[in-house]
């Protein structure tokens, strides 16, 4: 394992969460293959890997596209546990999907047990402005409450698609560097230390 | 251990490609030497196993001892298990540790999360809590599955595959015991869900491992409920009853029984080399299988009736490395996808049972990625197929259109029946030829029409002749297509059947060279036939054009003659 890490570029593990039909797969496929798929097909779970250049450094990104439906909640924990960063997606045209971001956030915090886990709130379907149900303010204030960035995207027009993935990777990378430092000092107090920091901020 | 290295498993299919004969010989020599060495060291071996460590020739004399032991087996099993554990130092230590720890899995999970370095130790002890050996067959399968629809614990499948490959010509296979410490270490590896490469071990170790696995099963494979009924069926040689009983067995038991019996039969069929006939093979295995000699020989001798069309096929584990190694055929992809999904389900099961570690998580993502890739590839393939089939129907439509043109020009009643037939005829391989021919036909017809329009009286007559010619041509071509198709089918079935034979032979270690030569010969023949077919088609096309030309000339001459008259 250690050998592999030394040979291969850094690997960042990103997980897409959000309720069904908000465009998690569409965002993923747009980022991966520059394609936009119109027809809706519920995802059970899909995983992708891509080599990208992040600020001049070659890294690999692993994207896990999860099911929005509750039916697959049983296997979700196994995935959440291994994620290093999360894109929590909702559709700006659907208020329910915005409300359920709370549940996803809770689930992630429960599994990861870490409030500072790299996390982005993503309002997708930004191109459908005439059907907007979730206001920018609403979304921004929730993001602020959680202490996470909020970005609006459009998988259709590719607006901000790269941005959300790259921003998240930067957060993951920063977090990993911190962890290395933390591990040199104290091992298990990581979580607590971070929480304190967060409060001060 | 290379617990997480995918290479070991990737290499695993290669197991069968290795040169068997050389391998086997060297194994045989090594094995004997080592046996002696370890037998001397291992003073503690249980009385049940002791006769096994002696030379094969002595075993025959001791045989009667095996039967009285059988009755006490259950008690001994328990005793032995408790004896076995303290023997292993590692296991011992870990067990103690585990007992000290509170049993709640949550706490362990947290620990694992905190420090990845300690993962393997914690997981190891967890695995020993849920072993593959010594648990009911179904549970064992769940913990150690094959991912290809065969409900046989992987350990047995691996052993059987190995013996099928390396042991069918070995004197005293299953009788000669393997080095105990090695068997034990293999058992631990399986219990810990490590990927095992049996090619590193001697045949005797592998057969001993299989026997050990069977011996440790808490229940007989024929199930406690049905065992006596099976015995009755053997007593009365009642095949129908036995078949019924087999169908009543749980899936795992059914598959296990089938594979074991088919495997054992192939060893007995090779008696010339293995020196194992039904009787002395039964002596070795009946106690382990918990069945009487009579039942054993009944199952083995009636194998073909009881397990018709049961063919062992070697296990090919799901791929562990993405993209370049993925299959590209639709069928292969579908099979691989199924395997990967089974593997994914297994990983989820294991993780839900508390086996959480970095390696498992990485495996989860990897398998998920392979599944995603396979699904994407399959989708692309389906789309392409859709396109191809659309184009095909287009071409067929065109052809039919041509025929109809000809038909309307000739205004014949016969056209309907002919057209419908030609429309139905599957124009697959010869499509292009037909198109060419029909093209030239229609152009010829056009010419004909142009030349004949001047004389409207004779036009109808000429066209009638013309259409008759064309119709017979169509009929001939159709016949030809059908003939060709038959020939293709025949050759393909011939190839396919030969292919099966080749596979079977490969598996059972018959000389392969001869069959491969056969195969390539057949391929050459096929190529030759294809070439001849193309030539024939060309010449036929030319001939027909010539004939048409001649007929038109004759008709023109006739018309001239008529007009002169």
């Amino acid at each position: 394992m250690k050998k592999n890490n030394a040979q291969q570029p850094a690997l960042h593990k990103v997980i897409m969460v959000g309720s069904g039909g908000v465009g998690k797969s569409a965002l993923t496929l747009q980022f991966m293959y520059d394609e936009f798929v119109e027809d809706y097909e519920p995802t059970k779970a899909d995983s992708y890997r891509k080599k990208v250049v992040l600020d001049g450094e070659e890294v690999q990104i692993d994207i896990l596209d999860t099911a929005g439906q509750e039916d697959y909640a049983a296997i979700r924990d196994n995935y959440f546990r291994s994620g290093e960063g999360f894109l929590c997606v909702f559709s700006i045209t659907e208020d329910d999907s915005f409300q359920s971001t709370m549940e996803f956030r809770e689930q992630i915090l429960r599994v990861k047990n870490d409030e500072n886990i790299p996390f982005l709130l993503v309002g997708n379907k930004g191109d459908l402005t005439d059907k907007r149900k979730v206001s920018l303010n609403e979304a921004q204030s929730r993001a602020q409450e959680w202490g996470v960035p909020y970005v609006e995207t459009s998988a259709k027009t590719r607006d901000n698609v790269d941005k959300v993935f790259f921003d998240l990777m930067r957060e993951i990378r920063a977090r990993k560097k911190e962890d290395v430092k933390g591990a040199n000092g104290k091992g298990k107090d990581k979580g607590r230390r971070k929480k304190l920091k967060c409060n001060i901020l | 251990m290379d617990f997480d290295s995918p290479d070991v498993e990737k290499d695993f299919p290669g197991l069968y490609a290795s040169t068997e004969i050389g391998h086997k010989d060297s194994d045989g020599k090594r094995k004997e030497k080592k046996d002696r060495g370890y037998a001397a060291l291992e003073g503690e071996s249980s009385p049940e196993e002791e006769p096994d460590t002696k030379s094969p020739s002595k075993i025959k004399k001791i045989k009667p001892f095996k039967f009285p032991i059988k009755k006490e087996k259950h008690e001994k099993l328990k005793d032995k298990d408790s004896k076995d554990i303290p023997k292993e130092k590692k296991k011992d230590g870990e067990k103690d540790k585990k007992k000290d720890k509170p049993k709640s899995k949550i706490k362990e999970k947290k620990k694992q999360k905190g420090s990845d370095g300690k993962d393997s130790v914690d997981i190891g002890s967890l695995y020993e809590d849920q072993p593959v050996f010594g648990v009911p067959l179904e549970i064992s399968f769940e913990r150690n599955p094959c991912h290809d629809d065969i409900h046989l614990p992987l350990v047995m499948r691996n052993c059987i595959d190995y013996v099928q490959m390396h042991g069918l010509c070995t004197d005293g296979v299953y009788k000669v015991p393997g080095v105990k410490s090695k068997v034990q270490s293999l058992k631990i590896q399986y219990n810990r869900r490590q990927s095992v490469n049996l090619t590193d071990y001697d045949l005797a170790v592998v057969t001993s491992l299989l026997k050990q696995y069977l011996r440790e099963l808490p229940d007989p494979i024929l199930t406690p409920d049905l065992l006596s009924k099976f015995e009755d069926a053997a007593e009365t040689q009642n095949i129908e009853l036995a078949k019924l009983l087999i169908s009543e067995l749980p899936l795992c038991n059914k598959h296990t029984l089938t594979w074991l019996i088919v495997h054992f039969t192939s060893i007995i069929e090779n008696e010339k080399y293995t020196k194992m006939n039904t009787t002395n093979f039964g002596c070795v295995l009946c106690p382990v299988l918990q069945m009487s000699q009579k039942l054993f020989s009944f199952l083995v001798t009636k194998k073909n009736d009881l397990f018709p069309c049961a063919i062992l096929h070697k296990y090919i584990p799901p791929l562990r490395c993405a993209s370049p190694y993925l299959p590209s055929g639709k069928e292969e992809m579908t099979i691989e996808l199924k395997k990967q999904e089974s593997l994914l389900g297994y990983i989820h099961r294991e993780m839900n049972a508390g086996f959480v570690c970095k390696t498992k998580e990485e495996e989860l993502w990897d398998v998920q990625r392979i599944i995603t890739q396979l699904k994407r590839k399959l989708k692309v393939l389906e789309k392409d197929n859709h396109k191809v089939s659309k184009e095909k129907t287009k071409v067929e439509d065109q052809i039919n259109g041509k025929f109809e043109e000809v038909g309307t020009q000739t205004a014949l009643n016969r056209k309907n029946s002919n057209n419908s037939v030609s429309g139905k005829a599957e124009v697959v391989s010869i499509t292009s030829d037909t198109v060419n021919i029909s093209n030239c036909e229609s152009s010829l017809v056009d010419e004909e029409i142009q030349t004949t329009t001047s004389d409207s009286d004779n036009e109808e007559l000429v066209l009638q002749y013309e259409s008759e010619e064309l119709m017979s041509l169509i009929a001939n071509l159709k016949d030809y297509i059908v003939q060709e198709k038959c020939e293709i089918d025949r050759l393909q079935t011939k190839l396919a059947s030969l292919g099966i034979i080749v596979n079977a032979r490969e598996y059972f270690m018959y000389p392969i060279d001869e069959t491969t030569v056969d195969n390539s010969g057949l391929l050459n023949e096929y190529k030759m036939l294809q070439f001849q077919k193309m030539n024939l088609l060309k010449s036929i096309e030319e001939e027909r054009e010539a004939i048409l030309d001649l007929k038109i000339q004759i008709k023109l001459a006739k018309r001239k003659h008529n007009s002169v008259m």
Side-chain angles (χ1 to χ4, degrees):
Chain A
M1 246 164 56
K2 274 172 193 167
K3 268 182 197 170
N4 281 348
N5 282 349
Q7 285 165 358
Q8 284 171 357
L11 179 64
H12 303 309
K13 290 181 168 175
V14 172
I15 295 187
M16 314 288 296
V17 297
S19 39
V22 298
K24 297 180 293 296
S25 305
L27 282 170
T28 311
L29 291 174
Q30 184 62 272
F31 177 72
M32 283 296 299
Y33 307 110
D34 296 297
E35 62 185 36
F36 180 66
V37 189
E38 287 275 3
D39 38 331
Y40 175 61
E41 200 182 306
T43 309
K44 192 174 170 192
D46 276 314
S47 168
Y48 305 85
R49 176 171 288 177
K50 192 181 185 178
K51 265 188 192 162
V52 290
V53 178
L54 176 67
D55 305 329
E57 177 198 4
E58 193 175 82
V59 297
Q60 276 186 308
I61 179 169
D62 260 9
I63 304 169
L64 201 120
D65 184 14
T66 62
Q69 289 70 25
E70 271 303 306
D71 317 350
Y72 302 114
I75 58 170
R76 209 148 53 190
D77 277 10
N78 289 334
Y79 291 120
F80 280 12
R81 211 177 286 128
S82 49
E84 294 166 336
F86 294 83
L87 289 181
C88 186
V89 187
F90 68 92
S91 161
I92 62 156
T93 65
E94 197 191 332
D95 193 53
D96 282 353
S97 74
F98 180 59
Q99 296 313 324
S100 56
T101 55
M102 305 263 269
E103 290 161 37
F104 283 105
R105 170 90 180 161
E106 269 167 36
Q107 272 179 24
I108 291 163
L109 293 188
R110 177 175 53 79
V111 174
K112 295 300 287 186
N113 197 24
D114 174 5
E115 281 205 27
N116 271 14
I117 185 84
F119 188 104
L120 252 72
L121 185 62
V122 179
N124 192 34
K125 307 198 184 179
D127 53 300
L128 302 174
T129 39
D130 51 327
K131 288 183 189 162
R132 182 189 275 275
K133 298 272 162 57
V134 184
S135 74
L136 191 63
N137 257 343
E138 242 180 310
Q140 273 172 340
S141 65
R142 177 167 295 175
Q144 212 163 16
E145 195 183 306
W146 290 345
V148 302
Y150 173 65
V151 184
E152 286 199 351
T153 58
S154 164
K156 194 173 184 178
T157 62
R158 211 169 202 282
D159 242 22
N160 280 340
V161 170
D162 282 340
K163 181 185 162 60
V164 287
F165 285 99
F166 276 90
D167 282 1
L168 187 64
M169 272 192 283
R170 283 188 193 102
E171 281 205 32
I172 295 170
R173 189 182 52 186
R175 181 61 200 273
K176 278 178 181 166
K177 275 178 190 162
E178 246 176 84
D179 275 4
V180 172
K181 278 181 201 165
N184 288 340
K186 292 172 190 174
K188 285 196 174 176
D189 291 340
K190 254 186 276 169
R192 273 183 216 163
R193 219 161 38 82
K194 294 269 161 55
K195 268 179 204 169
L196 282 175
K197 247 190 195 173
C198 183
N199 286 342
I200 293 160
L201 282 171
Chain B
M1 277 284 136
D2 248 356
F3 185 36
D4 54 334
S5 157
D7 293 334
V8 179
E9 281 224 20
K10 210 177 56 197
D11 285 340
F12 198 61
L15 199 154
Y16 306 94
S18 59
T19 50
E20 311 96 23
I21 295 159
H23 189 91
K24 184 188 62 208
D25 281 349
S26 64
D27 271 3
K29 279 168 201 165
R30 258 191 290 148
K31 180 178 58 203
E32 270 179 70
K33 275 180 203 166
K34 280 178 192 168
D35 272 2
R36 264 174 236 145
Y38 275 88
L41 284 172
E42 203 135 344
E44 253 198 308
S45 60
S46 62
E48 188 197 354
E49 298 247 307
E50 206 136 47
D52 284 0
T53 51
K54 283 166 190 166
S55 76
S57 58
K58 277 182 186 172
I59 277 181
K60 274 180 191 165
K61 289 171 199 164
I62 299 159
K63 246 186 267 161
F65 277 96
K66 287 230 153 189
F67 274 103
I69 285 164
K70 187 188 152 197
K71 281 181 191 170
E72 302 161 32
K73 253 194 74 67
H74 262 292
E75 297 157 40
K76 258 195 185 151
L77 242 171
K78 280 164 201 163
D79 285 359
K80 223 177 54 98
D81 267 1
S82 54
K83 259 189 233 163
D84 269 358
I85 294 159
K87 251 193 254 169
E88 307 151 25
K89 286 165 205 162
K90 268 191 203 167
K91 210 176 171 182
D92 203 7
E94 274 164 12
K95 279 248 158 138
D96 283 352
K97 252 191 253 167
K98 195 178 60 212
K99 273 171 199 162
D100 294 341
K101 267 183 252 162
K103 275 198 174 175
S104 65
K105 278 172 189 168
I106 308 150
K107 203 166 183 186
E108 267 179 275
K109 270 187 205 169
K110 277 183 188 170
K111 265 193 174 179
Q112 283 150 18
K113 238 186 280 163
S115 52
D116 294 330
K118 283 179 185 172
D119 272 7
S120 50
V121 181
D122 286 334
I123 290 281
S125 64
L126 243 177
Y127 277 140
E128 264 145 46
D129 242 5
Q130 299 183 31
V132 171
F133 278 64
V135 293
L137 197 59
E138 217 147 309
I139 295 173
S140 185
F141 172 72
E142 251 172 49
R143 291 175 186 173
N144 187 226
C146 298
H147 297 290
D148 67 345
D149 278 351
I150 304 296
H151 286 236
L152 190 70
L154 182 64
V155 52
M156 274 208 265
R157 185 83 176 269
N158 286 349
C159 289
I160 291 173
D161 280 349
Y162 181 98
V163 180
Q164 285 287 134
M165 207 60 222
H166 301 294
L168 292 192
C169 293
T170 308
D171 189 352
V173 61
Y174 279 104
K175 204 157 72 173
V176 182
V179 182
K180 260 195 149 186
S181 58
K182 287 190 178 178
V183 177
Q184 203 57 43
S185 101
L186 274 174
K187 178 183 153 183
I188 292 171
Q189 284 178 50
Y190 274 106
N191 274 344
R192 292 191 178 176
R193 328 288 205 265
Q194 291 169 358
S195 57
V196 181
N197 194 356
L198 289 181
T199 35
D200 299 340
Y201 294 86
D202 295 340
L203 175 67
V205 172
V206 175
T207 53
S208 290
L209 183 72
L210 181 61
K211 280 195 285 183
Q212 171 120 8
Y213 177 85
L214 293 169
R215 201 179 293 125
E216 287 188 25
L217 281 177
D219 292 320
I221 292 163
L222 297 174
T223 71
D225 294 343
L226 298 177
L227 183 59
S228 61
K229 289 180 189 167
F230 269 106
E231 295 286 359
D232 290 346
E235 196 70 45
T236 55
Q237 297 282 306
N238 188 340
I239 290 172
E240 288 310 311
L241 176 62
K243 268 182 162 175
L244 188 76
L245 291 171
I246 289 169
S247 70
E248 280 176 30
L249 285 171
L251 196 58
C252 275
N253 299 60
K254 196 158 78 185
H255 282 184
T256 305
L257 180 72
T258 311
W259 280 67
L260 285 174
I261 295 300
V262 174
H263 169 56
F264 293 155
T265 319
S266 64
I267 286 171
I268 291 164
E269 277 166 359
N270 280 302
E271 195 192 329
K272 206 165 84 184
Y273 307 104
T274 59
K275 305 276 159 46
M276 299 298 269
N277 57 31
T278 313
T279 322
N280 57 26
F281 201 48
C283 284
V284 175
L285 278 154
C286 283
V288 172
L289 294 168
Q290 303 186 40
M291 61 173 77
S292 72
Q293 177 85 41
K294 193 161 210 166
L295 178 52
F296 180 78
S297 62
F298 172 67
L299 291 172
V300 168
T301 49
K302 298 284 184 284
K303 179 212 117 189
N304 287 335
D305 299 315
L306 295 174
F307 312 100
C309 58
I311 298 168
L312 304 188
H313 49 94
K314 65 195 174 194
Y315 179 58
I316 300 165
L319 291 171
R320 304 306 289 271
C321 237
S323 52
Y325 304 100
L326 287 183
S328 50
K330 192 185 173 188
E331 211 167 303
E332 290 95 336
M333 276 199 273
T334 319
I335 291 168
E336 189 58 39
L337 186 62
K338 228 178 157 189
K339 276 189 202 171
Q340 296 288 348
E341 275 173 345
S342 161
L343 177 61
L344 186 75
Y346 170 68
I347 296 170
H348 275 303
R349 263 203 319 273
E350 294 260 296
M351 287 180 97
N352 288 334
F355 302 108
V356 183
C357 64
K358 240 259 120 112
T359 333
K360 266 260 146 32
E361 283 175 0
E362 264 168 30
E363 211 184 345
L364 183 71
W365 284 62
D366 287 345
V367 173
Q368 189 69 67
R369 202 165 51 244
I370 294 176
I371 289 176
T372 303
Q373 277 185 328
L374 280 170
K375 277 186 181 164
R376 264 185 81 83
K377 279 182 101 176
L378 271 171
K379 240 187 220 170
V380 170
L381 203 75
E382 239 162 64
K383 266 185 196 166
D384 286 353
N385 276 348
H386 203 66
K387 267 185 205 165
V388 167
S389 68
K390 261 189 180 173
E391 274 166 25
K392 217 185 240 175
T393 48
K394 254 189 198 170
V395 170
E396 274 175 31
D397 283 350
Q398 275 179 353
I399 294 163
N400 287 346
K402 286 261 160 64
F403 282 142
E404 261 162 42
E405 255 176 61
V406 176
T408 42
Q409 279 172 355
T410 52
L412 263 181
N413 289 337
R414 262 171 65 194
K415 74 166 184 190
N416 282 331
S417 56
N418 271 331
N419 264 340
S420 62
V421 176
S422 66
K424 273 178 200 163
E426 286 172 67
V427 196
V428 186
S429 54
I430 319 171
T431 307
S432 53
D433 302 293
T434 328
V435 172
N436 285 342
I437 292 169
S438 57
N439 268 339
C440 82
E441 279 164 11
S442 53
S443 62
L444 283 171
V445 172
D446 285 343
E447 280 169 35
E448 184 67 15
I449 289 163
Q450 276 169 7
T451 52
T452 50
T453 37
S454 54
D455 201 333
S456 56
D457 285 340
N458 292 319
E459 187 188 6
E460 213 172 295
L461 185 77
V462 175
L463 278 175
Q464 202 168 335
Y465 281 131
E466 189 61 46
S467 74
E468 270 168 20
E469 287 312 319
L470 285 170
M471 282 308 158
S472 70
L473 185 70
I474 289 165
N476 281 344
L477 280 172
K478 233 169 50 209
D479 285 349
Y480 189 72
I481 289 167
V482 170
Q483 272 175 23
E484 274 299 314
K485 273 195 75 74
C486 284
E487 181 67 7
I488 288 166
D489 281 351
R490 193 183 66 81
L491 283 170
Q492 267 170 352
T493 48
K494 202 174 167 188
L495 249 180
S497 66
L498 266 167
I500 289 163
I501 292 165
V502 168
N503 283 340
R505 283 197 181 178
E506 224 171 305
Y507 203 93
F508 291 108
M509 270 187 60
Y510 283 98
I512 302 160
D513 292 358
E514 178 197 298
T515 48
T516 42
V517 166
D518 261 0
N519 207 0
S520 65
L522 203 77
L523 272 172
N524 277 337
E525 194 189 329
Y526 187 71
K527 271 181 196 164
M528 280 291 290
L529 278 170
Q530 286 276 32
F531 186 64
Q532 282 175 7
K533 190 187 85 178
M534 287 308 290
N535 277 345
L536 266 170
L537 271 174
K538 268 184 195 166
S539 57
I540 285 169
E541 205 178 318
E542 283 164 11
E543 290 286 319
R544 292 211 188 278
E545 274 176 45
I547 289 168
L548 261 171
D549 272 342
L550 280 171
K551 288 206 168 159
I552 290 161
Q553 277 174 20
I554 290 169
K555 276 165 199 166
L556 281 172
K558 263 187 186 174
R559 200 182 54 151
K560 266 185 191 171
H561 184 68
N562 280 345
S563 63
V564 168
M565 290 279 279

